[in-house]
Amino acid sequence: MNEFKYGASCRTDMSVSPEIKFLDRDPPAIEIDEAQEILERCYGLRGDLRPLSSERDQNFRVDSDDGARYVFKIANRSESVDVIEFQLGALRHIEAVDPSLPVPRVQRTHRGKDYEEIEFSTGDQHIVYLLGFLEGIPLAESLAADCSDARRRLGALLARIDIALQGYFHPAACQQHPWNVETCTRLAPFTVHIPNDADRAMIDDVFDHMAGTVVPRLRRLRHQVIHQDAHSDNILVDPEDDHRITGLIDFGDMLYGTIAAEIAVAADSVPDEVDDIVTPVCDIAASFDAELPLREDEVDLIYDLLCARAALAATIAATRAARIPQGSAGRRAEQPTVDYLHQLREVGRLEFTRRLRAACRFPVLCPTTPQEALSAADEARMVAARHALMGRHTTHFYRQPMHFERGRGPWLYATDGHRYLDFYNNVPQVGHCHPHVVNAIARQAGALNTNSRYLYSSVLEYAERLTARLAPHLTACIFVNSGSEANDVAWQMAKLVTGRRGAIIMEDAYHGVTDVIRQFSPGRPGKVLPDFLKGLIVPDPYRGPYRNGESDLVARYAADADRAIRDLETAGHALAAFMFDSALCSSGVPDVPEGYLRAVEAKVRAAGGLMICDEVQSGFGRMGQWWGHEHHGVRADIVTMGKPVGNGFPLGVVITTDAILNEFMDKTRLFSTFGGNAVACAAGNAVIDVIETEALIENGRKIGNYLRERIRDLAKSHALIGDVRGWGMVTGVEFVSDREQQTPATLETARLLELMRRQRVLVGSEGRDANIVKLRPALVCGKSHVDRFVAALDHSLRSL
Ligand code: PMP
């Protein structure tokens, strides 16, 4: 029986036989006269005593002469002082911590004590104590009505009780207890008393599953003193007042356990005859969770706790019936819980847990093993639903779309039961679901989320920290919700303060989706642009018109800006701004010749235009330093930010000079409801925290260099790799079918992406010929992730 060890903090004594407590009920049978006499002696109370039912103790309701009501308790003679002290101490603690909780109040004796040990005329010694009486009828007696409201109140009440008990402990909390689900397998030998073979096999199966799988997981959950007996006889309600809970009684089954067990016990309050046994448990769990948030691992074990509790109840009932036979007529004592267990198993762990998770708004359960993987049919259903609900043209990566429900650091967890290395996504800059960012979002969301027309501190802190990391002239922020919006505002600003209407971009730029910014996003060269917009030839020394080894690359590429400015003027537009992405991501991260952007800047300024530096891709350390435009050594008039700003939480920022901002605001009074909301700013602050405390920019420089080095090594054995370039954590790998001719290997690249997926590595392609793989791993990646990526690339190139 001693197969389990318990944590050092609280060892449950397993050595004593479990029989004693649950078989020996034998309540005291003291005469009312004697009870009355003791009550007067200890408490100075006289009144009318009426017996109340109890399994182990003898209880009287006391209607005292002074009009007050109490419950006078004569404890079972086998009850020890420490157990009584544990219970009464808990009631005192709850009263002190949250006096509004409807639990019995402990009354003091004449001698100022919570209890007395009395020798009765029977010769037995019993502990006696007095509790305040709580009005109401047991929920069990009013269950005919739909009690979903009562159950919701019950969940909330239990949570508040457990919150109150968090700071309470007593060594007796760890004594062995027959109803402790964590030690339920100790009762496995007693299943012999269940006469029906199939029922017994089912209950044995529950105990086996508990021992093998559940108990080790239970031990990792939070533990504290819990009430553990909130079944419908112990909850008092006022039927005249919409089943308002007037009391929770019976603290005799308290123990040191998991709060999830409270929910499993409270499910007893669900009447036998309901068809749907899941919804009532969801009601209790969700309302508990709203007061005392449950952890995911707790929710995921509630189903097992319900099964274990039912198995325990059936075993105890059958054993008692066997020991104290009362004739075999009628329904067997264990039958209701056996039936409940059948119902639970019919629903199944997966479906039950799925609904519990939804009730508490936990994300969909993600399989952790390939055996639990969702089927292709599930995914096909999702794709069909997307087409129906989100339009036929919703796109997805890969021929067979990927389904993720979870991410962590550089990993995405798919419903095929595998994890995938994410080298594509540049939004979760500090890794998927970084706990510091997640906590910041959750904590701010739990405190306040409102707009920047009110004063609150996070937006100011954020603006101060952002501007402190930019050049000294960039001091003024406008907060929006996306990169597109930021670029849209930047363009409005540029037009307004210059009084001009012409713009230059890269010929294959991408800057976003608003009506005007869509026009700034041709995505590929050669697209016809509106006449106020001119595209520059991409300064790509690998496959552009002027190549490595030729002279004057900077001057020759930059000369295209002269041409663009002239073309604009011809079309009747003076230059307002040049908008560019420092990583030139949509151009495939070309190795921009050193000095090129400074040369273009000089021409832009000479023509009276502003520099709009789109840092949506290149900012926040992506290029090995805080800002991409600083890598190129240009001065920004307006900086725009998006994507990594909130590590996935929507947030866009425009930062400019005081003069530009004020002139713009004077004329527009622009305001974005969600821009700079308190939660977004909390996310933004947390991202800066992580980048700095984890020294991620340095890490990105180091790991990015290592990545390119390793790919260049691979190029020695794979002729398809034509060029490898990049800075920090943005890398472009260009694939060519002929290195001499630099023939783009478009088809091979497409196949490579699929092969990499089979190796469980995610990357994307880019460039006019879609032959460039762009890599933007999270800045938290280390060498081991790079090694894994390189191994996958090597393998995929071999199997091409
Ligand atoms: N600018 C650049 C350089 C981008 O890459 C993107 C998005 N890919 C945007 C702006 C637009 O950002 P969002 O999708 O958040 O509107």
Side-chain angles (χ1 to χ4, degrees):
M1 285 285 199
N2 234 340
E3 67 267 64
F4 302 131
K5 291 208 177 64
Y6 276 73
S9 60
C10 184
R11 266 172 209 282
T12 302
D13 178 8
M14 311 280 289
S15 57
V16 189
S17 156
E19 294 186 44
I20 304 152
K21 243 194 162 179
F22 81 86
L23 290 177
D24 164 27
R25 295 196 280 183
D26 192 18
I30 307 298
E31 295 294 330
I32 285 203
D33 289 348
E34 189 176 6
Q36 220 148 12
E37 188 255 312
I38 300 292
L39 182 66
E40 187 170 359
R41 178 152 34 108
C42 297
Y43 292 93
L45 276 181
R46 283 162 169 279
D48 183 26
L49 263 63
R50 274 180 239 174
L52 293 170
S53 73
S54 169
E55 280 197 347
R56 275 173 54 76
D57 304 326
Q58 190 175 8
N59 295 341
F60 295 98
R61 185 176 118 181
V62 180
D63 288 3
S64 79
D65 291 348
D66 60 14
R69 275 188 181 162
Y70 304 95
V71 176
F72 182 50
K73 296 189 68 108
I74 303 172
N76 194 292
R77 71 196 144 97
S78 66
E79 207 65 276
S80 63
V81 164
D82 58 342
V83 166
I84 299 292
E85 282 184 344
F86 168 41
Q87 291 170 25
L88 300 183
L91 289 173
R92 288 247 178 250
H93 184 87
I94 292 171
E95 182 183 358
V97 172
D98 187 350
S100 68
L101 285 170
V103 299
R105 296 282 182 261
V106 183
Q107 310 295 312
R108 284 202 203 287
T109 67
H110 266 332
R111 305 197 301 151
K113 290 182 62 184
D114 284 347
Y115 62 90
E116 291 288 353
E117 286 171 274
I118 303 289
E119 187 160 332
F120 283 82
S121 58
T122 53
D124 288 329
Q125 184 141 334
H126 295 274
I127 298 169
V128 302
Y129 54 98
L130 187 70
L131 302 174
F133 183 84
L134 295 168
E135 301 291 342
I137 63 162
L139 183 61
E141 288 171 27
S142 62
L143 279 179
D146 170 27
C147 287
S148 56
D149 284 351
R151 273 191 292 276
R152 272 188 218 104
R153 285 187 209 116
L154 173 60
L157 174 66
L158 288 174
R160 289 179 58 210
I161 299 269
D162 284 353
I163 291 169
L165 285 172
Q166 275 170 350
Y168 178 69
F169 188 70
H170 189 288
C174 296
Q175 286 189 8
Q176 65 152 304
H177 195 300
W179 285 104
N180 188 347
V181 281
E182 236 159 293
T183 55
C184 66
T185 53
R186 291 165 64 254
L187 295 199
F190 294 87
T191 59
V192 292
H193 298 299
I194 294 169
N196 180 299
D197 290 344
D199 293 344
R200 189 171 57 253
M202 173 174 69
I203 288 170
D204 284 339
D205 190 45
V206 171
F207 286 147
D208 284 349
H209 183 65
M210 287 298 288
T213 308
V214 182
V215 172
R217 289 173 66 191
L218 279 176
R219 286 203 206 117
R220 287 200 289 266
L221 303 185
R222 294 181 281 186
H223 277 55
Q224 64 162 82
V225 171
I226 57 171
H227 177 269
Q228 220 243 157
D229 203 16
H231 61 72
S232 51
D233 286 317
N234 286 339
I235 301 144
L236 304 179
V237 295
D238 181 353
E240 304 300 310
D241 188 8
D242 199 18
H243 295 94
R244 181 177 61 85
I245 296 179
T246 55
L248 177 65
I249 56 173
D250 195 350
F251 282 64
D253 281 332
M254 282 191 308
L255 49 74
Y256 183 75
T258 159
I259 55 172
E262 299 284 39
I263 291 154
V265 180
D268 285 1
S269 64
V270 179
D272 293 345
E273 59 273 13
V274 296
D275 292 331
D276 168 18
I277 58 165
V278 190
T279 303
V281 184
C282 290
D283 288 345
I284 297 167
S287 50
F288 186 103
D289 179 61
E291 295 282 337
L292 172 54
L294 290 163
R295 285 190 344 200
E296 199 164 10
D297 48 2
E298 290 164 343
V299 171
D300 288 351
L301 287 180
I302 288 176
Y303 174 83
D304 290 303
L305 293 173
L306 282 162
C307 292
R309 170 109 185 150
L312 264 182
T315 306
I316 290 175
T319 307
R320 279 178 180 163
R323 299 280 169 103
I324 316 156
Q326 292 151 331
S328 56
R331 212 167 170 225
R332 289 195 53 90
E334 72 275 11
Q335 206 54 53
T337 38
V338 168
D339 291 347
Y340 183 59
L341 194 49
H342 277 295
Q343 281 177 289
L344 282 171
R345 287 164 74 96
E346 223 163 85
V347 178
R349 175 180 298 104
L350 220 62
E351 173 61 10
F352 204 107
T353 306
R354 186 190 67 73
R355 288 187 51 194
L356 269 175
R357 291 176 73 99
C360 299
R361 281 281 147 230
F362 275 109
V364 174
L365 193 63
C366 195
T368 48
T369 63
Q371 290 77 41
E372 296 171 357
L374 289 194
S375 71
D378 292 321
E379 253 116 42
R381 258 195 301 280
M382 282 179 88
V383 171
R386 273 162 65 105
H387 287 176
L389 297 164
M390 295 157 67
R392 266 180 297 124
H393 297 291
T394 54
T395 52
H396 50 72
F397 290 139
Y398 301 107
R399 256 174 279 149
Q400 188 198 334
M402 297 241 42
H403 180 179
F404 296 113
E405 296 285 356
R406 185 150 303 227
R408 190 74 167 189
W411 302 102
L412 282 169
Y413 293 81
T415 47
D416 63 9
H418 294 291
R419 65 177 189 175
Y420 287 73
L421 185 63
D422 184 3
F423 263 38
Y424 174 82
N425 200 337
N426 63 333
V427 175
Q429 191 91 334
V430 299
H432 289 279
C433 304
H434 191 291
H436 184 68
V437 181
V438 171
N439 288 339
I441 291 170
R443 288 167 186 169
Q444 185 61 52
L448 171 80
N449 195 15
T450 188
N451 70 71
S452 62
R453 280 184 172 142
Y454 297 108
L455 299 183
Y456 49 88
S457 46
S458 60
V459 67
L460 272 184
E461 182 190 355
Y462 189 50
E464 265 168 18
R465 295 177 77 192
L466 264 187
T467 52
R469 281 154 187 80
L470 280 156
H473 67 284
L474 296 167
T475 55
C477 308
I478 287 183
F479 294 99
V480 288
N481 310 288
S482 67
S484 303
E485 251 185 285
N487 285 331
D488 193 287
V489 170
W491 173 236
Q492 292 183 53
M493 273 179 174
K495 279 194 298 183
L496 220 141
V497 300
T498 60
R500 296 148 164 232
R501 305 190 49 83
I504 309 179
I505 53 171
M506 285 295 159
E507 60 184 343
D508 57 3
Y510 183 86
H511 293 288
V513 295
T514 68
D515 194 21
V516 63
I517 295 299
R518 269 166 63 96
Q519 301 180 306
F520 282 60
S521 307
R524 58 182 165 78
K527 207 167 171 184
V528 179
L529 298 175
D531 66 355
F532 74 91
L533 204 54
K534 300 295 165 205
L536 299 187
I537 297 171
V538 175
D540 172 8
Y542 182 67
R543 275 187 59 223
Y546 318 119
R547 300 194 178 180
N548 287 323
E550 296 176 26
S551 58
D552 294 331
L553 289 189
V554 166
R556 288 160 81 191
Y557 276 118
D560 198 41
D562 295 324
R563 189 263 321 152
I565 292 165
R566 267 196 319 275
D567 286 356
L568 272 180
E569 279 162 5
T570 312
H573 296 295
L575 181 65
F578 170 39
M579 182 182 284
F580 65 97
D581 155 23
S582 286
L584 273 77
C585 253
S586 53
S587 319
V589 200
D591 192 11
V592 177
E594 160 68 27
Y596 163 80
L597 267 165
R598 283 195 301 280
V600 176
E601 178 188 7
K603 297 176 194 299
V604 167
R605 295 210 182 276
L610 299 179
M611 295 285 281
I612 300 176
C613 304
D614 176 341
E615 293 281 356
V616 172
Q617 292 275 354
S618 59
F620 290 83
R622 176 58 56 192
M623 291 178 71
Q625 60 193 88
W626 265 102
W627 310 112
H629 71 275
E630 292 179 355
H631 165 89
H632 295 290
V634 298
R635 179 188 157 97
D637 297 297
I638 305 172
V639 173
T640 60
M641 304 171 187
K643 287 195 196 259
V645 188
N647 207 46
F649 196 92
L651 175 58
V653 195
V654 183
I655 305 187
T656 182
T657 65
D658 203 41
I660 293 180
L661 182 85
N662 286 327
E663 188 180 344
F664 175 68
M665 289 302 280
D666 253 2
K667 291 178 181 148
T668 64
R669 306 280 160 189
L670 182 126
F671 170 74
S672 158
T673 301
F674 293 139
N677 69 73
V679 177
C681 291
N685 274 314
V687 169
I688 297 181
D689 294 342
V690 177
I691 288 176
E692 293 188 340
T693 55
E694 296 185 17
L696 291 185
I697 298 183
E698 265 163 50
N699 185 66
R701 267 203 304 270
K702 196 175 77 196
I703 298 302
N705 285 336
Y706 177 68
L707 170 66
R708 288 179 289 276
E709 213 173 90
R710 296 267 349 243
I711 304 173
R712 283 184 193 121
D713 267 353
L714 266 194
K716 291 175 194 155
S717 45
H718 295 292
L720 206 68
I721 301 178
D723 192 35
V724 184
R725 65 263 174 155
W727 313 270
M729 283 296 220
V730 55
T731 295
V733 185
E734 182 144 6
F735 293 95
V736 290
S737 50
D738 180 331
R739 276 189 183 167
E740 289 302 308
Q741 303 295 315
Q742 292 153 346
T743 320
T746 304
L747 281 177
E748 292 88 337
T749 307
R751 280 188 55 209
L752 193 68
L753 300 194
E754 295 284 346
L755 289 168
M756 292 290 281
R757 172 209 162 125
R758 278 193 229 160
Q759 297 292 306
R760 305 199 187 113
V761 174
L762 307 174
V763 291
S765 67
E766 194 56 272
R768 70 191 66 178
D769 297 306
N771 68 322
I772 302 162
V773 166
K774 65 182 170 193
L775 306 173
R776 297 166 303 185
L779 304 191
V780 290
C781 282
K783 283 191 165 174
S784 63
H785 303 111
V786 169
D787 292 343
R788 185 170 169 142
F789 166 82
V790 171
L793 180 60
D794 188 19
H795 186 279
S796 305
L797 284 168
R798 277 175 212 285
S799 44
L800 252 184

